[in-house]
Amino acid sequence: RNGSRRLSMSTILVDNLTGKTSAGSITVTSEGGAATQSLQQGLIKVWGAVDQTSTGHPLYDSLNVSSTTDAAESHTIITISNAMSNANYSVAGFGQAQDHGGSLGGFYGKSTGTAARTMSTTSFTSDNRTPAGSADDLTYWSFQVAGDLA
């Protein structure tokens, strides 16, 4: 039709995606090509949801988590199945309090002196508090990890 083309949507069915230059070098380009992002780096590497009020802090559901450990009230150690490339990854979380107006959540970083409450390439620990500052086990505590896998 006079040089114009009609574009249609297609479906690609694959079991594996491998970059042409190297295995992990798949780049996603924005419409118009103004911005690009590495597909591999943009994916969440670990996620899960934990019941801290039950014995052992069991998972409701998860990805790339091998186990959870009840380290103390409000502290759950998450053990990662496939290690991160370094301990500088990003962890985000959300908590639902049981019986009060809110809860504050956090994660232990590398500067914490207690060995059970540090980040490593294979684990990190929660620290959930009530608005008044006391330890708080949560009925539903969820987390996501972004960063590079080893």
Side-chain angles (χ1 to χ4, degrees):
R1 300 176 165 193
N2 289 338
S4 65
R5 290 192 293 170
R6 229 180 175 165
L7 299 176
S8 63
M9 298 300 292
S10 298
T11 301
I12 299 173
L13 301 173
V14 297
D15 288 327
N16 296 298
L17 292 174
T18 302
K20 183 178 175 184
T21 306
S22 66
S25 67
I26 299 172
T27 302
V28 178
T29 305
S30 69
E31 188 174 337
T36 62
Q37 178 178 333
S38 164
L39 177 64
Q40 183 176 2
Q41 280 201 312
L43 299 174
I44 296 297
K45 305 308 189 302
V46 180
W47 61 262
V50 175
D51 178 0
Q52 292 181 315
T53 63
S54 294
T55 303
H57 292 192
L59 290 158
Y60 289 108
D61 200 0
S62 68
L63 172 73
N64 197 20
V65 175
S66 61
S67 66
T68 59
T69 303
D70 182 350
E73 185 175 4
S74 82
H75 303 304
T76 303
I77 298 173
I78 303 298
T79 303
I80 301 169
S81 301
N82 298 297
M84 302 301 289
S85 66
N86 59 55
N88 297 322
Y89 52 88
S90 172
V91 181
F94 167 79
Q96 177 182 341
Q98 307 171 70
D99 56 5
H100 52 78
S103 186
L104 307 173
F107 304 96
Y108 285 108
K110 296 178 295 256
S111 63
T112 303
T114 306
R117 297 179 181 165
T118 59
M119 287 175 68
S120 73
T121 58
T122 57
S123 70
F124 62 93
T125 307
S126 70
D127 182 14
N128 301 307
R129 303 286 168 172
T130 67
S134 59
D136 191 20
D137 276 346
L138 302 179
T139 305
Y140 187 87
W141 173 67
S142 63
F143 54 87
Q144 297 180 344
V145 173
D148 295 323
L149 289 174

